[in-house]
Amino acid sequence: MRGPHSPNCGRSGMAERAPSLFAEDRPAPERALIVDIEGFEGPLDLLLNLARTQKVDLRRLSILALAEQYLAFIEGIRAHRIELAADYLVMAAWLAYLKSRLLLPPDPAEEGPSSDEIAAHLAFQLERLEAMRQAAAALMARNRLGRDIFARGIPEAVESRRTLRWTAGLLDLMQGYARVRSRDAFRPYAFDRRDVCTMENALERMRAVLGTQIGWSRLEDFLPEEWRGDPRRRRSATAAHFAAALELTRQGRIGLRQSAPFAPIEIGPGAPR
Amino acid sequence: MTDPAEPDLFRVPDLHEQERMVEAILFASAEPLGATQIEARMPRGSDVPEALAALARRYEGRGVVLMRLGEAWAFRTAPDLGHLMQREVVETRKLSRAAIETLAIIAYHQPVTRAEIEEIRGVALSRGTLDQLLELDWIRLGRRRMSPGRPVTFVVTPAFLDHFGLASARDLPGLADLRAAGLLDNRPLPGLGGGAGDDEAAEDPAVADDQADLFDV
Amino acid sequence: MTDPAEPDLFRVPDLHEQERMVEAILFASAEPLGATQIEARMPRGSDVPEALAALARRYEGRGVVLMRLGEAWAFRTAPDLGHLMQREVVETRKLSRAAIETLAIIAYHQPVTRAEIEEIRGVALSRGTLDQLLELDWIRLGRRRMSPGRPVTFVVTPAFLDHFGLASARDLPGLADLRAAGLLDNRPLPGLGGGAGDDEAAEDPAVADDQADLFDV
């Protein structure tokens, strides 16, 4: 693995990575001067390898000796002018500090964990990493599906027979009805054709009647019988016929007259052209 | 291959072991296998037909049986358990908006013709909507309207009342209740006597009576 | 449901018959099935756990065995016969060392955050690693940790148990020894405070509960 390694013990790397869940996806930044030291996966991996050379139980590991081994290793690498990933250097600095503390008698005035506690924690981390590696190996050595054990080769599909059940509650019903009724109230205004007499209709009617009409008669007499009853229909027909009469007057086909404001409008012969 | 798990390849396993092997091979195979195909995977010297026969006997009467399909063999679910391979899925779905509204109009205006429903909803009714409600047994055909064309009317059924927990169609909340429940705005609406579609109804004394039955209790 | 093919739905079949049914249902499926899934397809009143136990006994030592995988059950070929199924072997992409270690850490420490995995391995985790494990459906996201940043946790899946033939996460090899040695503890670095990962976990009683949920049942 070659990534910007995080120092395991000096935790500064954690905060940096925090914003991104998958930080290592970024293109390798320039600051990551990576050297793959014999394939070690970061300083902890290297430490674990060095610890193994002590050939003792990890719990009885000499952290002091380990720190010295690590520092010597890093020195050796640097002597070859190989640039190391920052993680390795951070770990080196941290171990150098730990080593100095381990060599000095404990200072009772000093706050924080003792050097022994810190050393014990490092030993714990190494032991835990080792344990996880062994667990991983044990896991992978198990009989595995598709390699050692096998599932049914011709699984039989379960056929689903689907029955649809439609449901609606009383509230749905009420809301549905309310919706229909409200829609009436809010419906954008549109002509209800059934009760609307169009000017085209009126023109057609009046043209047909013109041939037989000689004297003056009231506009309302031109309204078709079926449009005279209902006031709404009557209003619509009156308006349409009035508009049609204006049009025919403009064409000189008929004449229009009204004796006084609001007096009946009369239609008669047009002024000859 | 020096895998210690495979010493069997070099001695002939006993019949019981051969049977186990055939069982595993047939189970894992993605297709029915013929005896020669099985033989090719078995230790040399195995008696595959014998092992197959023993295996078939062992599975007799079980939930799974060893079936011979032409020249090949495969495990299959016992024929009498085929129903277990079918799953009854009841899917509950909400009625469409069109169906709900149509149903509501029928419930509130019954008996009501198709033309009247369309008039009230302001859109044409798709054939499927009425069919669905008829199929659900929530509406049925009422008597024909005594008007030109003698159109059929629709009314709600006892199954409808049952589903919606109503003792009778009279129990349907009235417009005033809907308004009180905030389902309608407060504007006085063209009520049952006024709006479009009610005109025709008003011309039909029978309908007016029905309406009175339904709502004016 | 008056299907004449399903008369069994109306009487409880005897245990032998129930065993046959469970056998057929499990044999037909390549995926492990939970007891409730099986129950859903069995006649009402069946004792599925009892039938499963009887079935497991019947297949003991056979070429095909009934395996318990988490909450689910599946028929699988006996592990010692794997060599006969070379043709069925699905070549899987070789997992990187990082992926294998990460998988083990998730399995043994679950639910575990990304920061905790990195803490244990001492190295940043590449996106590809988790992606690969997620894609294999061997891990999935668990609930978020109730600690600052509410980091997501990772846990292993039923497919993981199936692949590695584990009856439950409690059956992970060496789990008890690791726990007894304190190697599954989230031990914070003494005194340094403010660290990532383990400190959070230690402050969070829910984490301890999670662990208990998974392993101490």
Side-chain angles (χ1 to χ4, degrees):
Chain A
M1 163 146 344
R2 275 137 253 229
H5 299 319
S6 76
N8 183 53
C9 297
R11 308 267 190 63
S12 61
M14 295 294 183
E16 266 175 55
R17 279 201 314 275
S20 165
L21 183 62
F22 300 114
E24 229 187 329
D25 238 12
R26 291 180 304 216
E30 295 120 53
R31 66 179 171 82
L33 300 166
I34 306 306
V35 168
D36 177 14
I37 342 173
E38 292 171 32
F40 291 117
E41 277 200 75
L44 200 62
D45 189 25
L46 170 56
L47 276 169
L48 185 56
N49 269 274
L50 292 171
R52 287 205 192 101
T53 64
Q54 291 190 18
K55 293 191 163 63
V56 294
D57 183 336
L58 282 178
R59 286 169 189 241
R60 269 177 284 144
L61 189 69
S62 163
I63 293 296
L64 186 57
L66 186 64
E68 278 167 349
Q69 276 175 285
Y70 184 90
L71 293 170
F73 187 93
I74 295 296
E75 262 325 293
I77 297 276
R78 298 185 80 184
H80 287 90
R81 295 173 170 265
I82 298 171
E83 281 187 281
L84 276 171
D87 290 2
Y88 288 88
L89 299 177
V90 171
M91 178 63 89
W94 191 83
L95 283 175
Y97 164 75
L98 177 60
K99 181 182 145 190
S100 68
R101 295 246 336 240
L102 284 167
L103 290 172
L104 294 171
D107 178 356
E110 199 172 88
E111 301 220 335
S114 73
S115 49
D116 285 343
E117 283 170 331
I118 297 172
H121 186 69
L122 180 56
F124 166 74
Q125 285 181 300
L126 292 172
E127 202 192 340
R128 184 174 60 179
L129 179 59
E130 175 77 0
M132 280 301 110
R133 294 210 164 140
Q134 282 166 5
L139 193 62
M140 299 314 279
R142 288 184 66 83
N143 286 321
R144 288 163 61 184
L145 187 68
R147 193 189 70 178
D148 310 294
I149 55 182
F150 298 85
R152 174 86 184 269
I154 319 174
E156 291 169 56
V158 176
E159 206 183 300
S160 294
R161 277 189 301 178
R162 200 187 299 172
T163 317
L164 276 179
R165 204 170 59 199
W166 298 92
T167 59
L170 189 56
L171 186 63
D172 297 318
L173 198 70
M174 289 163 58
Q175 282 169 337
Y177 190 63
R179 204 158 53 223
V180 168
R181 303 308 304 201
S182 323
R183 203 183 295 148
D184 271 354
F186 294 115
R187 189 157 55 179
Y189 184 68
F191 285 113
D192 202 339
R193 291 284 167 193
R194 201 180 56 163
D195 289 333
V196 172
C197 179
T198 65
M199 193 179 112
E200 286 74 23
N201 285 344
L203 268 175
E204 214 172 301
R205 261 186 64 77
M206 290 180 73
R207 279 200 195 103
V209 186
L210 274 181
T212 58
Q213 188 79 22
I214 317 150
W216 290 89
S217 52
R218 291 177 169 201
L219 175 67
E220 59 214 63
D221 296 336
F222 283 81
L223 301 190
E225 198 59 43
E226 68 271 25
W227 287 86
R228 294 184 187 186
D230 183 327
R232 279 187 296 172
R233 289 165 69 82
R234 185 186 173 84
R235 268 197 302 278
S236 173
T238 305
H241 283 78
F242 178 62
L246 285 176
E247 173 63 20
L248 291 171
T249 306
R250 193 183 63 79
Q251 293 172 6
R253 309 272 302 272
I254 59 166
L256 271 181
R257 72 181 186 198
Q258 186 177 29
S259 53
F262 303 109
I265 293 169
E266 291 179 312
I267 293 173
R273 286 215 143 164
Chain B
M1 294 257 185
T2 52
D3 191 331
E6 301 176 50
D8 296 336
L9 284 175
F10 304 105
R11 62 159 181 89
V12 182
D14 60 26
L15 186 62
H16 175 261
E17 190 63 13
Q18 289 184 30
E19 193 194 313
R20 283 185 79 225
M21 291 176 163
V22 172
E23 185 180 30
I25 290 171
L26 281 174
F27 174 85
S29 171
E31 57 199 4
L33 294 177
T36 42
Q37 288 171 294
I38 299 170
E39 233 152 40
R41 301 186 184 195
M42 295 280 288
R44 238 171 260 266
S46 299
D47 187 346
V48 171
E50 186 68 27
L52 277 168
L55 197 61
R57 277 196 302 278
R58 182 181 293 274
Y59 276 89
E60 243 164 51
R62 305 289 319 145
V64 171
V65 293
L66 186 58
M67 283 181 76
R68 193 189 174 130
L69 310 152
E71 291 306 302
W73 298 78
F75 283 115
R76 288 278 188 263
T77 305
D80 67 310
L81 297 181
H83 64 278
L84 292 174
M85 298 298 118
Q86 290 179 334
R87 195 172 22 186
E88 199 74 36
V89 186
V90 179
E91 221 171 276
T92 307
R93 264 196 231 165
K94 277 244 175 231
L95 218 52
S96 73
R97 190 183 162 122
I100 283 276
E101 289 181 6
T102 303
L103 182 63
I105 291 165
I106 295 171
Y108 277 89
H109 293 259
Q110 65 174 346
V112 64
T113 68
R114 184 196 178 94
E116 286 158 4
I117 296 168
E118 291 181 333
E119 182 84 36
I120 295 171
R121 282 195 68 228
V123 289
L125 202 52
S126 79
R127 159 127 212 147
T129 305
L130 282 176
D131 281 352
Q132 188 185 17
L133 295 174
L134 285 165
E135 205 172 294
L136 281 166
D137 192 26
W138 282 352
I139 63 168
R140 62 173 177 82
L141 298 183
R143 57 185 156 164
R144 286 187 179 272
R145 182 66 54 78
M146 289 302 164
S147 62
R150 298 181 41 81
V152 295
T153 61
F154 297 94
V155 294
V156 294
T157 63
F160 164 88
L161 296 177
D162 196 34
H163 181 93
F164 289 91
L166 296 165
S168 79
R170 272 165 236 249
D171 292 346
L172 272 173
L175 280 182
D177 301 324
L178 294 182
R179 199 171 295 127
L183 293 171
L184 279 177
D185 74 323
N186 284 323
R187 183 135 53 116
L189 286 164
L192 289 175
D198 295 322
D199 291 357
E200 285 178 25
E203 284 159 16
D204 182 354
V207 175
D209 285 347
D210 283 342
Q211 296 271 7
D213 281 357
L214 281 165
F215 300 111
D216 299 339
V217 183
Chain C
M1 272 171 276
T2 50
D3 191 334
E6 299 177 48
D8 295 336
L9 287 175
F10 302 106
R11 63 162 182 88
V12 182
D14 61 26
L15 188 60
H16 175 262
E17 188 64 14
Q18 289 184 28
E19 196 194 310
R20 282 185 77 226
M21 290 176 161
V22 173
E23 184 180 30
I25 291 170
L26 279 173
F27 230 84
S29 172
E31 306 293 322
L33 296 178
T36 42
Q37 282 173 289
I38 299 169
E39 234 152 60
R41 289 165 58 185
M42 295 282 289
R44 238 170 258 265
S46 298
D47 187 345
V48 171
E50 186 69 28
L52 280 167
L55 200 60
R57 279 194 300 277
R58 181 180 297 273
Y59 276 87
E60 245 164 49
R62 305 284 323 144
V64 170
V65 294
L66 185 58
M67 288 181 74
R68 190 198 173 125
L69 306 156
E71 295 307 303
W73 298 77
F75 277 115
R76 297 286 183 249
T77 59
D80 66 307
L81 299 178
H83 62 281
L84 295 171
M85 258 69 69
Q86 292 308 331
R87 276 161 226 230
E88 260 70 56
V89 170
V90 193
E91 269 316 315
T92 45
R93 190 156 43 132
K94 209 165 159 33
L95 285 177
S96 66
R97 175 174 151 187
I100 292 170
E101 279 182 26
T102 302
L103 178 64
I105 290 167
I106 293 171
Y108 284 81
H109 288 260
Q110 64 175 340
V112 65
T113 67
R114 182 196 177 91
E116 287 158 3
I117 297 167
E118 293 180 331
E119 173 80 23
I120 293 169
R121 294 193 65 236
V123 68
L125 202 53
S126 81
R127 175 177 183 134
T129 305
L130 285 175
D131 278 355
Q132 196 181 8
L133 295 174
L134 286 164
E135 209 170 290
L136 282 164
D137 192 25
W138 284 352
I139 64 168
R140 62 174 176 81
L141 298 182
R143 53 184 155 169
R144 286 184 179 272
R145 187 62 60 74
M146 288 300 163
S147 60
R150 296 180 44 79
V152 295
T153 61
F154 295 93
V155 295
V156 293
T157 62
F160 166 87
L161 298 179
D162 191 18
H163 184 89
F164 292 96
L166 292 162
S168 80
R170 269 164 278 151
D171 297 326
L172 283 165
L175 183 76
D177 293 342
L178 288 172
R179 177 145 6 92
L183 290 170
L184 300 183
D185 298 349
N186 258 308
R187 201 179 294 175
L189 179 55
L192 274 195
D198 45 17
D199 293 352
E200 296 171 14
E203 284 159 15
D204 184 5
V207 175
D209 288 350
D210 282 344
Q211 294 271 9
D213 282 355
L214 282 164
F215 299 115
D216 296 340
V217 183

